[in-house]
Amino acid sequence: MKEDTKLIHAGRSQQHRHQIVNPPVYHASTVLFPTMDAIEEAQAARARDERPMVYGLSGTPTTFALEDAVVAAEGGHRAALFPSGLAAIMAALLATVRAGCHILVTDSVYAPTRNLCDHLLKRLGVETTYYDPLIGSGIAGLIRPNTAVVFVEAPGSLTFEMQDIPAIAEVAHRHGALVLMDNTWASPLFFKPFEKGVDMSIQAATKYMGGHSDVLLGTVAANRETWPLLRDAQRQLGQNAAPDDCFLVLRGMRTLRVRLERHQANGIRLAEWLRGRPEVARVLHPALPDDPGHAIWKRDFLGATGLFGFELKPGYPRRAVAAMLDGLEHFGMGYSWGGFESLIVPCEPARIRTATPWRSEGQLLRVHAGLEDVDDLIADLARGFERLSATG
Ligand SMILES: *Cc1c(COP(=O)(O)O)cnc(C)c1O
C-alpha cells in the first residue's frame, strides 16, 4: 500500500467500528472482565507487549487506532501518546536518561524543551550541553563517555537552521548514544526519521496532525530497540492521551497530505514574495534555493510545511512593527501553528540561545502560512508593509 492509502486506512480495524467509517471514541477507566481467566489472560498479554484492554490509562481502541496511524505515517516499531507535545518530549527524555548522564541538545531547540533540560533534568542529575545546530559530524567533539542522548530538531521552529541528521546519528550511534528528534516541523509525512538514523521521533500532534488549532496531543514513535524504554516510561509516568483528542488527531491525519500540500505552496509563495520586498533583510525558509540549509533539506526532506521566518531590515521602531502586525486581517497573532489559519508572531531567538549567538539586526517575524488564498495573504502583508514604512 502506498503512503497516502495507508493514511486513509490506518487505525480503522473493523473489529470495533460496526461498519461505521470512523472508529468510535471510547471513554474508559474501568474495563470489566467476565472471568478470572480473562483477567489473567489480559495481564499476560500485556506482559507480552500486546494491547489487551486492561484499564483506560493503558489504552482503548481509540488510543490504539491513533498509535497505529502514527506508526503507519512516521515509521518505527510502536508509538505512545501523551497529553501534549511537550509531555511527549519529557517522556522521551525521561525514558532515555539517568542520573549522572550527559545529553547534547541543539541550540535551536523548541524553547520549552530547553526549560525542561535546564531545570527538571538538571535537578535529576542530567547535564545538558547545547550544540551548534550546524555542527554535523563535528558533534563527535562534544560526545563524552556518559553521553546518553543527542537531541535534534530540524529545522528549528524560530531560526529554521537545518541539521545533518544522518551525520549526527552516525556519530551518536558509534558512541552508544541514542538520537531523539522533535520532528514537528516536517510532520510525519515530510521527514522519515527512522530512515535517517533517529531512534525516537516526537510529534507535537497539536500542530499539523491535529491541524485545526483545537487540540493538544503529543506522540512518540520508537524503533524496536528503544520501544521498551518508551513503553516503561509511559507506564511509570501515568500518561496517555484523552479519547476525544485522539479522535480529533486521527481525523486530522486523514487530510494531512492535502493540507500540507497547500501549506507548503502558500508558504513558498509568501517566502518568495517576501524575499523581493525592500523592507525585508532575509527570509528563513529551507525550501528556498539560496537558503543555507537548502542542500540538506533537498537531500533528506520530502517537502516543506507552512512555517518559516523573515527578518525586517534594521531601523524600524517598535511602534512601526506594531502598526504592521496589529492591522493584519488574515494573520492571527498567536503561538502554536499547524492549523488552517495563517499566523504571525514576533520572536527573539537571540535571547534564548547559549551555544551559538543568533545574529540579527532587524525584527524577526515567524509566519505560519495557512490554507487561505495566497493572494489575500500577500495583499494583507503588502498593506502591513505600507503601515510599517508610514509609521516613523
Ligand atoms: C508546539 C511545539 C511543541 C509542543 O507541543 P504542545 O502540544 O504545544 O506541548 C514541541 N515542539 C515544537 C517544535 C513545537 O512547535
Side-chain angles (χ1 to χ4, degrees):
M1 229 191 276
K2 297 234 197 279
E3 179 171 55
D4 286 0
T5 314
K6 272 202 243 166
L7 270 177
I8 299 306
H9 289 287
R12 290 175 60 206
S13 104
Q14 263 307 336
Q15 194 189 347
H16 298 288
R17 69 182 161 93
H18 303 287
Q19 321 306 322
I20 295 165
V21 171
N22 285 295
V25 180
Y26 285 91
H27 286 264
S29 55
T30 300
V31 175
L32 297 173
F33 300 90
T35 61
M36 193 164 151
D37 274 354
I39 208 166
E40 287 171 3
E41 269 163 35
Q43 291 294 2
R46 189 154 190 251
R48 289 192 303 270
D49 214 6
E50 292 163 17
R51 296 185 297 186
M53 245 131 37
V54 174
Y55 181 57
L57 186 60
S58 60
T60 66
T62 314
T63 30
F64 302 150
L66 179 55
E67 288 169 11
D68 290 346
V70 169
V71 171
E74 193 163 35
H77 171 61
R78 289 270 289 270
L81 310 178
F82 297 91
S84 70
L86 186 55
I89 292 167
M90 174 195 71
L93 280 166
L94 288 179
T96 49
V97 298
R98 61 181 65 231
C101 85
H102 168 245
I103 63 174
L104 287 165
V105 176
T106 177
D107 208 21
S108 54
V109 77
Y110 177 62
T113 305
R114 183 184 282 268
N115 189 34
L116 170 67
C117 297
D118 291 348
H119 296 95
L120 181 62
L121 292 190
K122 186 175 179 192
R123 197 145 50 72
L124 298 178
V126 176
E127 189 185 348
T128 302
T129 301
Y130 295 98
Y131 64 87
D132 180 349
L134 307 180
I135 200 165
S137 55
I139 194 95
L142 296 176
I143 298 231
R144 303 181 192 167
N146 63 339
T147 303
V149 167
V150 179
F151 194 100
V152 298
E153 179 177 335
S157 68
L158 294 181
T159 51
F160 301 96
E161 291 145 300
M162 294 301 301
Q163 294 198 260
D164 190 339
I165 293 168
I168 291 173
E170 196 273 316
V171 173
H173 290 156
R174 190 149 31 89
H175 292 86
L178 296 173
V179 179
L180 270 51
M181 176 172 193
D182 184 334
N183 192 28
T184 303
W185 182 84
S187 93
L189 298 193
F190 285 167
F191 184 78
K192 298 300 178 187
F194 299 100
E195 295 170 14
K196 306 290 178 195
V198 171
D199 297 293
M200 271 189 205
S201 181
I202 299 142
Q203 287 286 339
T206 305
K207 308 290 163 59
Y208 286 111
M209 291 163 71
H212 295 73
S213 308
D214 53 6
V215 62
L216 289 157
L217 195 143
T219 70
V220 186
N223 60 14
R224 202 172 282 281
E225 296 70 50
T226 58
W227 164 248
L229 299 174
L230 177 65
R231 175 201 61 207
D232 291 350
Q234 189 196 30
R235 286 184 189 174
Q236 288 153 12
L237 291 165
Q239 290 202 309
N240 211 319
D244 292 309
D245 297 346
C246 291
F247 179 85
L248 288 173
V249 170
L250 199 52
R251 188 161 77 157
M253 287 182 74
R254 307 298 178 202
T255 56
L256 185 57
R257 170 75 64 186
V258 288
R259 286 187 288 110
L260 283 186
E261 280 170 4
R262 181 68 169 266
H263 285 296
Q264 167 167 254
N266 280 1
I268 290 173
R269 265 288 297 285
L270 286 179
E272 283 172 343
W273 180 80
L274 285 163
R275 199 176 40 175
R277 289 291 309 196
E279 301 86 351
V280 172
R282 59 175 166 160
V283 177
L284 312 173
H285 193 313
L288 296 188
D290 54 358
D291 187 272
H294 183 70
I296 289 180
W297 175 78
K298 217 171 153 180
R299 184 191 69 188
D300 292 346
F301 283 61
L302 303 168
T305 55
L307 195 76
F308 69 97
F310 69 98
E311 197 182 302
L312 294 174
K313 286 197 176 145
Y316 292 108
R318 188 192 168 281
R319 65 180 179 283
V321 179
M324 173 184 175
L325 298 183
D326 295 356
L328 291 171
E329 290 172 52
H330 300 306
F331 290 84
M333 236 191 295
Y335 293 106
S336 203
W337 39 275
F340 48 80
E341 81 288 22
S342 287
L343 299 170
I344 193 164
V345 277
C347 28
E348 306 283 347
R351 281 203 221 143
I352 306 169
R353 290 167 80 110
T354 54
T356 45
W358 178 254
R359 290 184 214 293
S360 61
E361 286 159 38
Q363 175 70 53
L364 180 64
L365 298 170
R366 185 180 76 179
V367 175
H368 177 246
L371 304 178
E372 301 89 346
D373 187 310
V374 72
D375 292 334
D376 286 333
L377 299 177
I378 286 174
D380 199 20
L381 287 175
R383 290 189 296 271
F385 282 131
E386 283 168 26
R387 290 190 297 277
L388 178 75
S389 300
T391 313

